[in-house]
Amino acid sequence: MGSAQRIRTSTFFAALSALLVLGAAATQGRAPWPLRTPAPVPDGRPAVLARASEVKCGECHARHLEEWASTTHALAWENEPYQEDLEGRKKAESCHGCHAPERLHGADDALLAGKPAARKDERHFGVSCESCHMAHDGALLGPTGAPTDKHATRKGASFVGAGSNALCAACHRTTVGPVIGLARDFEESKAAESGATCVSCHMATVAEVGEGEARREVRSHALQSPRDPAFLALGFEYELSAESSAVKLAIHNLAGHRVPGLIGRELEFRARALAADGKELATETLTLTTETYLPVDESAVLELPAATAKVQLEGWHHDPRLEKPVRFVERELAR
Ligand code: HEC
Ligand code: HEC
Ligand code: HEC
Ligand code: HEC
Ligand code: HEC
């Protein structure tokens, strides 16, 4: 089983638990952060789906096609880690429902209950435009149902505000293979309470259209993903505080769920404690894996010597899909 080989970190847990003090993060009521328009990222963004030009929707929705084509949604079937993981599995068919799904909506345009069903053909299109958008009768469901003579359209609850969380959760709620069902965390998170959605954090706004009540944000299908160090950096906040016996560095989780959520990924924080004269007093490391993960809305605390005046902090992302570790944070924090 490929996924088992990618776990190489369970031994970290014992060493780590001594350092981990969990507490509520200061995320109450926080508005979702402003997202940038996704730029091409050299660090491990998936390649473009080679056969994307065969997707007919792209004739008219060129922007959507281009954005989608270089996501893991487009590559969910072709993706090497997926195909490798299937090798030798007796029930590989049970995996395909989320990696090459049939239409996700049934009668009344409601999301079908249960695990998504696998598509019989064109599996190479992965999580396709049709999977998410096509209704049982061939109409296309979207956030406004804008009328056109090109095809039937309807407004669908899965594309508006909090209704869209259920669409994402259809596949992201289950823990299976190397995957943690992050949507469960999200449902109980402060982010959900404050009105953030999966879409508001993972699909950046590219334009605003309409006026008054009809005003809405048009969003990019290029998923904001932790492979992008700038996005990953938004997931954490740091706080240095002094107590009589120690200086504490709190690392708050601002993502809408635990981090990380995929077996094999690791986030490593390295803190170098310096005295007022610049002398190094100590170094501490915190490694987050799917076993030693940082729960939603919580914080990890590193204890540093009482004489610590400032801390040099680095955050490194180890992802089996990246050629080498990527630094996503480099900061100096002073007391
Ligand atoms: C309920 C939906 C669902 C099912 C069923 C499912 N997966 Fe996945 N799979 C996902 C999601 C969602 C992700 C992405 C998670 C992430 O990026 O954090 C994923 C990602 C993966 C990846 C990681 C790909 C990469 O880029 O590294 C592998 C490998 C994988 N799945 C294998 C499997 C195998 C094997 C099965 C069958 C035992 C399976 N999946 C069944 C939803 C599913
Ligand atoms: C994982 C599900 C998913 C997939 C796959 C997907 N979409 Fe979307 N799409 C959405 C969601 C969610 C929205 C609403 C986003 C928002 O809040 O504006 C949306 C919005 C849209 C809109 C209307 C909003 C706008 O930008 O004007 C169009 C058109 C669209 N998608 C086309 C496509 C096409 C074409 C593809 C394939 C290339 C595709 N989508 C793939 C989920 C998906
Ligand atoms: C011949 C051109 C054409 C093709 C092909 C086409 N569309 Fe459209 N589609 C349009 C036009 C025009 C609109 C009206 C609004 C707009 O411009 O986005 C529209 C609207 C939509 C909407 C509604 C957006 C909303 O506001 O709610 C969705 C969703 C959508 N299309 C998805 C798709 C998908 C998925 C495919 C492929 C299966 C597809 N379209 C194929 C031209 C096309
Ligand atoms: C039909 C199932 C399905 C639905 C619906 C779905 N996803 Fe995914 N998603 C996947 C799979 C499968 C993967 C991973 C594919 C792989 O790596 O092979 C994935 C990967 C991702 C990733 C990781 C991207 C990366 O590059 O690491 C993010 C983020 C994500 N999805 C967000 C969303 C959001 C937001 C929604 C709702 C708008 C959504 N997904 C809806 C199946 C789905
Ligand atoms: C408040 C913002 C926020 C919300 C809300 C949010 N996410 Fe995330 N998500 C993040 C950040 C930041 C990361 C990167 C952290 C990491 O995984 O290291 C991330 C990572 C991910 C990943 C990659 C995980 C991995 O380990 O490969 C997936 C998949 C994902 N989110 C899906 C979702 C889904 C589905 C929802 C809604 C149920 C959601 N997210 C809600 C901010 C958010």
Side-chain angles (χ1 to χ4, degrees):
M1 220 176 71
S3 59
Q5 285 152 18
R6 283 204 286 274
I7 313 177
R8 54 185 183 87
T9 49
S10 51
T11 46
F12 275 104
F13 191 57
L16 187 71
S17 51
L19 298 171
L20 255 183
V21 185
L22 302 176
T27 50
Q28 194 104 44
R30 178 188 303 277
W33 48 68
L35 293 176
R36 358 166 252 136
T37 304
V41 186
D43 300 311
R45 268 277 167 89
V48 179
L49 180 67
R51 296 173 68 176
S53 61
E54 293 169 31
V55 176
K56 295 188 188 67
C57 320
E59 285 168 30
C60 308
H61 300 289
R63 175 180 67 79
H64 301 84
L65 178 68
E66 196 191 325
E67 292 162 353
W68 168 85
S70 56
T71 62
T72 47
H73 280 166
L75 286 152
W77 177 267
E78 301 259 296
N79 211 352
E80 264 173 49
Y82 182 61
Q83 290 300 333
E84 279 167 19
D85 203 346
L86 293 179
E87 279 165 30
R89 276 187 191 266
K90 291 210 181 70
K91 293 186 180 161
E93 199 61 24
S94 75
C95 304
H96 304 340
C98 298
H99 287 262
E102 262 297 351
R103 298 172 189 181
L104 295 163
H105 296 88
D108 299 339
D109 300 341
L111 276 167
L112 291 164
K115 215 171 78 175
R119 214 164 46 237
K120 300 271 178 300
D121 54 5
E122 299 195 319
R123 286 181 168 169
H124 51 272
F125 291 147
V127 181
S128 70
C129 313
E130 280 97 334
S131 307
C132 287
H133 285 289
M134 198 170 278
H136 64 103
D137 59 356
L140 288 153
L141 304 172
T144 65
T148 166
D149 57 4
K150 308 296 183 199
H151 55 67
T153 57
R154 278 197 299 276
K155 183 170 172 168
S158 301
F159 301 89
V160 191
S164 61
N165 295 328
L167 174 65
C168 310
C171 300
H172 286 275
R173 205 170 185 280
T174 308
T175 296
V176 55
V179 184
I180 310 293
L182 296 175
R184 281 176 196 270
D185 289 347
F186 171 73
E187 283 155 14
E188 290 155 18
S189 74
K190 288 178 183 145
E193 252 171 56
S194 72
T197 60
C198 314
V199 164
S200 69
C201 286
H202 285 286
M203 293 172 76
T205 304
V206 290
E208 289 189 9
V209 293
E211 274 173 28
E213 297 237 312
R215 196 190 138 275
R216 68 175 189 95
E217 288 163 343
V218 177
R219 291 181 174 272
S220 170
H221 282 56
L223 294 170
Q224 302 274 335
S225 114
R227 298 159 198 256
D228 173 352
F231 178 68
L232 190 46
L234 297 172
F236 303 93
E237 193 174 64
Y238 313 96
E239 204 179 343
L240 206 57
S241 62
E243 283 171 22
S244 55
S245 59
V247 166
K248 291 187 173 175
L249 170 63
I251 300 173
H252 302 304
N253 176 6
L254 302 185
H257 39 71
R258 75 186 63 188
V259 289
L262 189 69
I263 288 174
R265 288 190 53 219
E266 274 177 41
L267 295 168
E268 185 194 356
F269 293 95
R270 299 176 196 158
R272 216 172 142 234
L274 304 176
D277 62 4
K279 195 169 142 268
E280 180 178 308
L281 299 172
T283 56
E284 291 289 352
T285 303
L286 171 75
T287 306
L288 303 174
T289 70
T290 45
E291 295 189 21
T292 63
Y293 64 88
L294 189 51
V296 64
D297 297 331
E298 293 193 2
S299 312
V301 177
L302 287 174
E303 292 207 9
L304 303 168
T308 302
K310 60 186 175 184
V311 175
Q312 287 172 346
L313 178 70
E314 289 190 6
W316 286 84
H317 186 200
H318 303 260
D319 186 327
R321 302 165 297 187
L322 302 179
E323 268 174 33
K324 49 185 184 20
V326 171
R327 187 171 54 204
F328 65 94
V329 175
E330 187 181 23
R331 281 178 61 169
E332 193 167 274
L333 300 142
R335 267 174 66 183

